[in-house]
Amino acid sequence: MSDIRQGAPSDRDRLELRGQCGDCFGLCCVALPFAASADFAVNKDAGTPCGNLREDFGCGIHARLRPEGFSGCTVYDCFGAGQKVSQVTFGGRSWRQDPQRARQMFDVFPVVRQLHELLWYLGEALGLGPARSLRGELRAALEETERLSLQAPEDLQNTDVGAQRARVNALLLRTSELVRAQVKGKKKDRRGADLIGAALRGANLQGASLRGAYLIAADLSGADLRLADLIGADLRDADLSGADLTGSIFLTQPQLNAARGDGRTKLPPSLERPAHWSV
């Protein structure tokens, strides 16, 4: 199977869509709510700083998040929204320095996070060879999404992210169909399927649509997921040991972080092997 990624976004472009905590004012640790669960050791309301947040906006238990009961923090990625809101939207002035604008900053952060997630998907779609016929539309959608993400705080608060997501998703679906058509024969369509705990060990899922599928705790060890569409698939605690994801599309780092894998798991080049996976 030939490499379908051609003219992919640069490493610099991808880096800007990854969380850089050193340039952020700990927004995910303040703006977002926590619910005591297997992912978080405590309850925390939106807009309330986490008790582990230091004065310098670093995490006081960063090296011990999982044993301390905060595995949800190790899974989360803001797609670079934290540093943009902190350094661009609010010009480097933190919510501690300007408490009157803190609520606005917390409201804007999840909006930009959603827009940056769309930018990640659009950037990947632009680099997929089989979707070259859509590059004009994809580029226009990327530029519009970037423009929305650079709006003033007041405009971001009023942005209809749902409408933009719907427009982008229609393009991504067309992209997916072109890419998955590279797999000959009938492809599995498990879009939105309930596959919680499913026994899919060694399954041939080449070119499958797993968009929005619930794969929580599914056994995907040794599965062939090349050219499978994984956008929005819930991979929490899914076993990806030895699985082949090298040609899968629209897979994100947070999805991998939420799953389990090992040294044999094959990943797309744009993603990193999570530190908590077995060797």
Side-chain angles (χ1 to χ4, degrees), residues 126-137:
L126 278 165
L128 297 172
R132 62 178 60 87
S133 63
L134 297 177
R135 282 181 183 163
E137 293 176 77

Side-chain angles (χ1 to χ4, degrees), residues 154-201:
E154 296 77 13
D155 296 321
L156 280 165
Q157 286 179 297
N158 295 316
T159 296
D160 189 346
V161 180
Q164 182 65 6
R165 182 177 290 277
R167 287 189 287 270
V168 170
N169 189 58
L171 270 176
L172 297 178
L173 183 57
R174 290 165 61 194
T175 299
S176 173
E177 290 169 348
L178 289 170
V179 171
R180 293 186 299 109
Q182 306 306 301
V183 177
K184 305 302 181 184
K186 186 175 178 61
K187 276 78 69 176
K188 294 182 175 65
D189 186 357
R190 306 309 303 272
R191 183 175 180 179
D194 182 350
L195 297 170
I196 296 174
L200 296 168
R201 182 182 182 89

Side-chain angles (χ1 to χ4, degrees), residues 84 88-89 115 145-152 156:
K84 177 177 277 187
V88 179
T89 312
L115 293 171
T145 305
E146 176 68 11
R147 183 193 69 78
L148 291 173
S149 76
L150 290 168
Q151 294 177 108
L156 280 165

Side-chain angles (χ1 to χ4, degrees), residues 188 190-201 203 205 208-221 223 225 228-240 245 248 251 255 258-260:
K188 294 182 175 65
R190 306 309 303 272
R191 183 175 180 179
D194 182 350
L195 297 170
I196 296 174
L200 296 168
R201 182 182 182 89
L205 295 168
S209 175
L210 294 166
R211 296 169 67 88
Y214 297 95
L215 288 158
I216 301 168
D219 182 1
L220 287 160
S221 58
L225 290 155
D229 184 347
L230 291 164
I231 195 167
D234 193 336
L235 293 170
R236 282 177 294 169
D237 205 33
D239 186 357
L240 297 173
L245 296 123
S248 60
L251 178 67
Q255 286 173 295
R260 295 179 290 120

